[in-house]
Amino acid sequence: MGRAPCCDKTKVKRGPWSPEEDAILRNYIEKYGTGGNWIALPRKAGLKRCGKSCRLRWLNYLRPDIKHGGFTDEEDSIILTLHSNIGSRWSVIASHLPGRTDNDVKNHWNTKLKKKLSAVNATNPTTVIPIVDSNSNNFTSNPSAFTLATSFNKPQPDCYGNSTYPIVGSDAPVQYSSMDHMVLGYSMTEVVPDLLYDSSSTDQFSLPELFEVQENSTLQKNGFTTSSSQEISSLSPSCSLAKSYSSWNDNLFGEEVGFFVELESRSSNYNLVQSAQQEEKVSNEVEGSCLPIYSYPTASFFDQMSDNILPPQGHHQTAFPILD
DNA sequence: AAGTGCATCAACCGCCCTAAA
DNA sequence: TTTTAGGGCGGTTGATGCACT
């Protein structure tokens, strides 16, 4: 049985809203609210419109807290980052942009950002994540609080059907050549933004500090569990070359849902990244998706940068600024 | 000035989810 | 437990305006 339409389309007005209709709807909602029933609202307000049309008009245009006008670079950055992580969940993305609607974000993506991203990907197949200090918006070497400031490439399903996100230089080992340290992050779930984003701040999240951990031991701090290389080699064979390993657990079930691996040996990074990916792909067959969420160079890398070592080939210059 | 193509964005369509009956 | 109605959402369309020829 087909679903009954919400209204008789032959008896309602369609198409663009007139200023008079806008005024009627605005005045009614400001005076009486929506009453929790959009279908009944147009009749009560005296509008010959479908309730869904009224809802859309209010939410996307008439609402007083709507932000009109062009998107800022910061908003673009947030959209690109979130879209790379969660895909076209426009309402979720819009919820991170005060005053923007899902329709706005969707239109902006389809008309501007999609093309922008294609152009970037065409000229630079690997995408580096600039690291921005969450408080000052300046680039930082502090690995404990970051804002993702640009996008990942669109994830493509792999042979296991899992979407994996590109890791810096994961297809080109030479690009690691000037990094002594880097951190590789994975999340086992698709709820990365919700999990990592600080609810009091829409564009920040915390990463685990890179704790000093005694050999063969594990340290728990700030919700993260960090293990030494000796300890983690027993947890995960692919991590046996890592310096440390930090993970966080799902609040509900206490299961590990994400981790960061601090890599140390420049020559082994590429193999480690590959083996880590491979291992997780295999485990995904049972566990579900595993998303490598990002990687970033650690403080020692920036120390090198301060000695005017050039960024790795193929990376955006802006991703690795020379520090004072 | 007229015609054409493209970009933009408001609005609609139809499906899914959920709560109430 | 099933059915139904309403809200929410992502995909798509079409009107409009602008740039270019």
Side-chain angles (χ1 to χ4, degrees):
Chain A
M1 186 174 68
R3 188 178 160 69
C6 62
C7 58
D8 185 345
K9 298 198 187 310
T10 63
K11 293 180 181 172
V12 296
K13 184 170 178 246
R14 299 168 71 187
W17 281 64
S18 69
E20 292 76 23
E21 289 177 308
D22 281 347
I24 292 171
L25 182 60
R26 186 187 290 111
N27 291 340
Y28 183 87
I29 292 177
E30 284 175 353
K31 198 169 179 181
Y32 302 107
T34 65
N37 188 338
W38 284 106
I39 300 302
L41 189 144
R43 182 176 48 80
K44 291 179 182 173
L47 284 164
K48 287 186 167 52
R49 287 277 180 176
C50 170
K52 281 192 170 189
S53 179
C54 292
R55 175 182 164 272
L56 213 61
R57 185 64 181 169
W58 173 256
L59 292 178
N60 286 344
Y61 196 80
L62 297 176
R63 218 166 16 124
D65 54 341
I66 289 288
K67 192 193 287 182
H68 297 289
F71 282 69
T72 65
D73 289 345
E74 190 184 359
E75 287 175 317
D76 283 356
S77 170
I78 292 170
I79 295 168
L80 285 163
T81 301
L82 288 174
H83 187 274
S84 298
N85 280 301
I86 63 174
S88 53
R89 291 164 65 184
W90 304 118
S91 58
V92 174
I93 295 173
S95 71
H96 290 273
L97 301 167
R100 301 295 189 185
T101 68
D102 52 354
N103 212 35
D104 265 348
V105 174
K106 180 172 54 183
N107 282 332
H108 186 56
W109 172 267
N110 286 329
T111 58
K112 300 266 181 64
L113 296 183
K114 196 159 69 177
K115 292 168 193 165
K116 202 167 153 184
L117 191 61
S118 302
V120 168
N121 288 344
T123 56
N124 186 27
T126 59
T127 304
V128 169
I129 313 308
I131 301 165
V132 180
D133 184 292
S134 54
N135 296 316
S136 67
N137 263 7
N138 293 323
F139 285 95
T140 178
S141 61
N142 170 15
S144 62
F146 295 105
T147 299
L148 292 185
T150 188
S151 66
F152 296 94
N153 295 324
K154 175 79 176 166
Q156 299 294 329
D158 61 20
C159 59
Y160 297 97
N162 300 307
S163 292
T164 56
Y165 291 77
I167 300 172
V168 179
S170 61
D171 56 350
V174 66
Q175 295 189 347
Y176 288 112
S177 59
S178 67
M179 288 189 195
D180 267 350
H181 285 66
M182 66 176 296
V183 172
L184 169 66
Y186 275 86
S187 171
M188 310 299 185
T189 72
E190 212 184 346
V191 293
V192 178
D194 294 336
L195 182 72
L196 292 177
Y197 271 71
D198 175 358
S199 59
S200 63
S201 173
T202 58
D203 60 359
Q204 298 173 19
F205 59 85
S206 297
L207 301 182
E209 291 176 54
L210 300 174
F211 303 118
E212 291 293 328
V213 183
Q214 298 282 319
E215 279 202 0
N216 294 309
S217 69
T218 293
L219 178 72
Q220 290 194 318
K221 193 174 172 184
N222 298 340
F224 295 105
T225 303
T226 302
S227 302
S228 71
S229 58
Q230 293 297 314
E231 178 70 10
I232 61 177
S233 64
S234 65
L235 299 174
S236 172
S238 72
C239 296
S240 58
L241 297 171
K243 184 182 180 187
S244 70
Y245 176 94
S246 299
S247 63
W248 62 94
N249 297 330
D250 180 274
N251 286 336
L252 289 176
F253 303 107
E255 294 174 350
E256 182 182 300
V257 293
F259 67 83
F260 294 96
V261 183
E262 184 185 11
L263 309 177
E264 188 169 39
S265 166
R266 75 172 68 173
S267 60
S268 62
N269 281 352
Y270 179 61
N271 289 337
L272 180 65
V273 169
Q274 280 202 322
S275 62
Q277 285 179 314
Q278 195 58 43
E279 183 188 337
E280 294 310 326
K281 280 178 181 174
V282 172
S283 68
N284 285 345
E285 290 182 292
V286 179
E287 295 295 333
S289 64
C290 170
L291 312 177
I293 52 177
Y294 54 86
S295 56
Y296 62 91
T298 56
S300 62
F301 176 74
F302 285 94
D303 289 340
Q304 291 182 28
M305 294 303 298
S306 67
D307 293 327
N308 293 325
I309 294 175
L310 292 174
Q313 274 194 331
H315 287 177
H316 291 303
Q317 287 281 340
T318 53
F320 302 105
I322 306 299
L323 298 181
D324 291 331

